Amino acid sequence: MVTERDSYELDVRQAIGSLAKLGAAYGALKVFVIDSVKAYAEQERADLQLQRALRVSGQTVSDNFAAMKAYADELQRVSVHSDETTLGLMAQATAAGITADQMRDVITATLGVATATGRDLHGVLVKVIREVQSGHADWTRYGITLDRTKDGLGQLVSRFGEYVASTGSTAERTQQLANSFGEVQEAIGRLAVHSIDSAIGIDTLKIAMEGAALVVDQYGVDGLLNVFFFGGQL
């Protein structure tokens, strides 16, 4: 009679056996985990920079950071810009005096104008900040003319906001996939970091790695991506 424990031990043996068969691929998996820790560190750095900028500017950190983070995540889903990129722009804007209430429009205008004109994100952000704070930034070099009897930032959002979303081109879809894969790396990196000082955590990490190896062995790399991106539907 096969017990539940026997079945579990069989599953574990299969996972370990898959690792042995993967051989060099397992070495690549270890490298992937290391890269994932680096990706997680980059995400943490972006989060902390924005939190620090909010704190230094005297703005409430918790609620404002949560709202900005949510918008950065939203933009990553619909555009080619990673959340780390957007969070970095937000930290720069906050340090320059932009408030949390202004941030959504500032970022939308920045990404839209940069995409439409092919200009550098940080350079455009500086221009948008100048527009918000002085009301008379010079946009002639960008081929943009604003009605100075109306709100400049509002005009930029209205005219260029549509450029933020991905066009669906192959290059942009590839970038979006890379951003999504980066999210997977960050999640695995987070698990790895928080497993270092925990025996239970280390066991969890080992099981996760063994499970990933088993999926690759049975279903290929496409199967592993399906697990990551579609909740385990193989």
Side-chain angles (χ1 to χ4, degrees), residues 215-216 219-229 232-234:
V215 170
V216 172
Y219 299 101
V221 175
D222 287 342
L224 182 60
L225 291 176
N226 280 333
V227 170
F228 282 147
F229 294 120
Q233 300 176 12
L234 293 170

Side-chain angles (χ1 to χ4, degrees), residues 13 32 46 52 63 67 105 122 127 165 176-177 184 197 216 223:
R13 285 198 299 272
F32 172 71
R52 187 180 301 114
D63 291 344
D105 282 350
H122 294 282
K127 201 68 112 170
Q176 287 181 305
L177 179 59
V184 173
D197 295 322
V216 172

